[in-house]
């Protein structure tokens, strides 16, 4: 809670920090929601809205969560409920309020439910895996973004080459390369199911992929205040191995066929 005797002349910023001073979330009276468009959105870089700057007493409620995974808007995850950011574990935190350049801070603490017998170490282990799973979703989406950039380059080259002597060769080579890129993306995320049929009938024909499986793991991990089970760890390791395999295929494709394609299109680009 905070009180402003008069309206702030400038921006009011409220930020949450862990016990080591690392920033977790930032909110502002001038913050904006995530933009929509083709580019990836990193929630950790957003200054979110929701901080009043009018005179009077105010209550700000943080949902106790770290930022979500990097994603597009609208979200690409095909779930009944997209995963939120990892829940902050029990521990010491600090809130900082900056009004017209003047900052005040207040420490606070999260304590576990007294009915829960999990130790602090077990809460930390759960949090560590949640953050790791979130970061794997981010890595998956950044890999897809790399694929999209290459595909855009292919489309641009085919269009430019249409009236040149290299047109047919570039088009045929680009089509084959584009198909191989789709094969990799198809393992990383489900791009076929429509927004109107999220997690419903279409997903029987087009099942969820690596990013959604990490998202489901996050959802499962938060169903109990306890350390991850051995099966949770096995699933995380298996999904990580599959992700690394697809990234390896993409890197090999970039080092080989994509580089060769760039040499082919150099005269027209």
């Amino acid at each position: 809670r905070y009180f402003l005797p008069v309206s702030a002349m400038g921006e009011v910023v409220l930020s949450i920090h862990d016990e080591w001073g690392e920033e977790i979330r930032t909110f502002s009276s001038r913050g904006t929601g995530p933009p929509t468009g083709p580019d990836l959105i990193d929630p950790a870089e957003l200054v979110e809205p929701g901080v009043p700057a009018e005179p009077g007493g105010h209550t700000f409620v943080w949902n106790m969560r770290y930022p979500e995974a990097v994603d597009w808007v609208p979200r690409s995850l095909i779930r009944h409920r997209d995963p939120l950011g990892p829940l902050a574990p029990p521990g010491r935190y600090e809130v900082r309020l900056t009004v017209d350049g003047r900052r005040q801070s207040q420490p606070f603490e999260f304590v576990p439910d007294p009915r829960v017998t999990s130790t602090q170490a077990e809460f930390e282990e759960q949090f560590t895996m949640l953050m790791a799973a979130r970061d794997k979703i981010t890595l998956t989406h950044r890999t897809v973004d790399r694929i999209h950039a290459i595909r855009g380059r292919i489309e641009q080259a085919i269009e430019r080459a249409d009236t040149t002597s290299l047109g047919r060769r570039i088009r045929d080579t680009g089509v084959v390369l584009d198909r191989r890129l789709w094969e990799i993306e198809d393992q990383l995320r489900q791009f076929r199911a429509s927004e109107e049929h999220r997690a419903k009938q279409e997903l029987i024909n087009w099942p969820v992929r690596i990013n959604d499986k990490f998202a489901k793991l996050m959802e499962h991990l938060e169903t109990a205040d306890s350390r991850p089970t051995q099966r949770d760890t096995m699933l995380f390791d298996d999904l990580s191995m599959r992700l690394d395999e697809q990234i390896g295929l993409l890197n090999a494709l970039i080092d080989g066929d994509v580089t060769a394609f760039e040499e082919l299109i150099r005269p027209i680009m």
Side-chain angles (χ1 to χ4, degrees):
R1 294 185 174 91
Y2 64 95
F3 176 81
L4 298 178
V6 296
S7 294
M9 298 179 62
E11 186 177 22
V12 178
V13 177
L14 187 148
S15 57
I16 309 293
H17 302 256
D18 64 20
E19 62 178 315
W20 298 281
E22 294 293 326
E23 185 177 293
I24 298 174
R25 303 285 287 269
T26 300
F27 306 86
S28 168
S29 58
R30 296 180 179 177
T32 59
T36 59
D39 297 328
L40 280 175
I41 305 300
D42 186 350
E45 297 178 354
L46 294 178
V47 177
E48 303 173 68
V51 181
E54 299 78 22
H58 303 288
T59 299
F60 182 86
V61 180
W62 174 41
N63 66 0
M64 300 170 55
R65 291 186 178 276
Y66 278 67
E68 298 85 357
V70 168
D71 203 348
W72 294 267
V73 177
R75 304 289 290 274
S76 69
L77 294 168
I78 313 296
R79 296 235 61 82
H80 289 293
R81 176 182 67 82
D82 286 335
L84 301 172
L87 193 67
R92 295 182 176 88
Y93 298 86
E94 183 183 61
V95 58
R96 299 175 185 176
L97 180 68
T98 303
V99 181
D100 294 336
R102 298 179 61 184
R103 191 181 81 184
Q104 295 185 353
S105 63
Q106 178 68 44
F108 63 96
E109 185 175 359
F110 289 152
V111 295
D113 187 324
R115 298 168 297 179
V116 175
T117 60
S118 296
T119 65
Q120 182 66 30
E122 289 171 334
F123 278 114
E124 294 289 347
E125 194 173 342
Q126 179 192 47
F127 174 72
T128 297
M129 181 168 284
L130 282 166
M131 290 291 282
R134 181 204 68 172
D135 292 344
K136 290 294 184 179
I137 297 174
T138 289
L139 177 59
T140 304
H141 291 168
R142 290 199 184 283
T143 303
V144 171
D145 200 48
R146 291 171 64 196
I147 292 173
H148 290 176
I150 298 170
R151 186 174 296 121
R153 180 79 167 167
I154 294 171
E155 292 174 357
Q156 183 183 35
I158 291 175
E159 183 178 350
R160 286 194 180 186
D162 189 47
T163 58
T164 70
S165 59
L166 290 172
R168 182 172 180 178
R169 184 181 173 191
I170 288 175
R171 181 174 59 255
D172 291 346
T173 305
V175 167
V176 173
L177 183 56
D178 186 68
R179 186 182 305 118
R180 294 184 66 186
L181 290 168
W182 277 117
E183 290 172 355
I184 296 173
E185 181 172 353
D186 185 39
Q187 297 302 311
L188 298 175
R189 69 163 187 153
Q190 181 53 263
F191 54 83
R192 297 181 183 87
S194 67
E195 183 72 18
E196 293 76 15
H197 295 83
R198 289 164 63 92
K200 294 182 182 178
Q201 184 67 32
E202 280 193 12
L203 294 183
I204 296 175
N205 300 320
W206 312 115
V208 297
R209 297 303 190 190
I210 289 174
N211 64 341
D212 266 284
K213 291 178 181 180
F214 273 118
K216 185 62 179 178
L217 175 60
M218 289 184 67
E219 186 178 316
H220 167 72
L221 286 169
E222 287 198 336
T223 59
D225 292 325
S226 61
R227 70 193 312 168
T229 65
Q230 183 178 7
R231 289 190 177 184
D232 294 333
T233 302
M234 290 174 61
L235 176 58
F236 177 86
D237 291 343
D238 179 65
L239 292 174
S240 298
M241 182 180 64
R242 295 189 206 180
L243 174 58
D244 289 344
E245 180 182 1
Q246 296 305 315
I247 292 175
L249 290 173
L250 176 61
N251 289 336
L253 192 62
I254 290 173
D255 292 340
D257 291 356
V258 173
T259 299
F261 184 75
E262 287 289 343
E263 289 297 323
L264 175 64
I265 67 176
R266 188 184 300 276
I268 66 166
M269 300 296 282

